[in-house]
């Protein structure tokens, strides 16, 4: 959760992410048996790719598991997304609330 929280606020420090994520990959953590945690780590992976494109993600060896866990989660629109959709509906703007793109 710490890694996810720092990714959410857009905090970017390569050494921090590498140290924290490498420690997860170095041990047999029961924490990594949770799809919600793996799903969050997939989003951390996306943040990592954007912030450090020339670096290898420390959990690259379980990247497919992270993606599978992310895809298995039921989509949950954020409050911001719901508020924007409500505002658009309120002004009569026709829109698609949840548009899913191809991979």
């Amino acid at each position: 959760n710490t890694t996810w929280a720092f990714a959410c606020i857009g905090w970017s420090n390569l050494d921090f992410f590498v140290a924290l994520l490498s420690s997860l990959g170095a041990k047999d953590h029961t924490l990594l048996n949770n799809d919600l945690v793996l799903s969050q780590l997939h989003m951390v992976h996306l943040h990592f790719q954007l912030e450090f494109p020339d670096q290898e993600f420390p959990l690259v060896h379980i990247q497919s598991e992270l993606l599978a866990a992310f895809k298995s989660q039921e989509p949950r629109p954020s409050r911001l997304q719901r508020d924007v959709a409500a505002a658009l509906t309120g002004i009569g703007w026709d829109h698609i609330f949840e548009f899913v793109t191809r991979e």
Side-chain angles (χ1 to χ4, degrees):
N1 281 341
T2 303
T3 310
W4 170 235
F6 280 101
C8 283
I9 64 169
W11 195 69
S12 295
N13 181 296
L14 178 62
D15 293 337
F16 168 80
F17 279 100
V18 169
L20 197 57
L21 293 168
S22 295
S23 72
L24 286 175
K27 298 177 183 172
D28 182 27
H29 286 278
T30 56
L31 175 72
L32 297 180
N33 291 331
N34 179 316
D35 275 352
L36 179 59
V37 171
L38 293 173
S39 179
Q40 289 178 341
L41 284 171
H42 171 70
M43 291 185 278
V44 170
H45 171 247
L46 297 176
H47 172 76
F48 193 92
Q49 280 183 310
L50 289 172
E51 292 297 318
F52 316 111
D54 58 331
Q55 300 294 318
E56 183 176 87
F57 186 60
L59 299 176
V60 71
H61 61 286
I62 60 167
Q63 187 174 341
S64 61
E65 294 172 54
L66 303 180
L67 179 59
F70 178 78
K71 288 181 176 182
S72 75
Q73 298 294 306
E74 199 59 37
R76 292 177 302 173
S78 68
R79 184 179 347 160
L80 175 62
Q81 182 180 349
R82 290 189 304 269
D83 291 349
V84 168
L88 292 174
T89 299
I91 63 171
W93 192 311
D94 187 31
H95 65 283
I96 298 171
F97 176 74
E98 184 81 334
F99 183 79
V100 179
T101 61
R102 293 187 312 218
E103 290 184 43

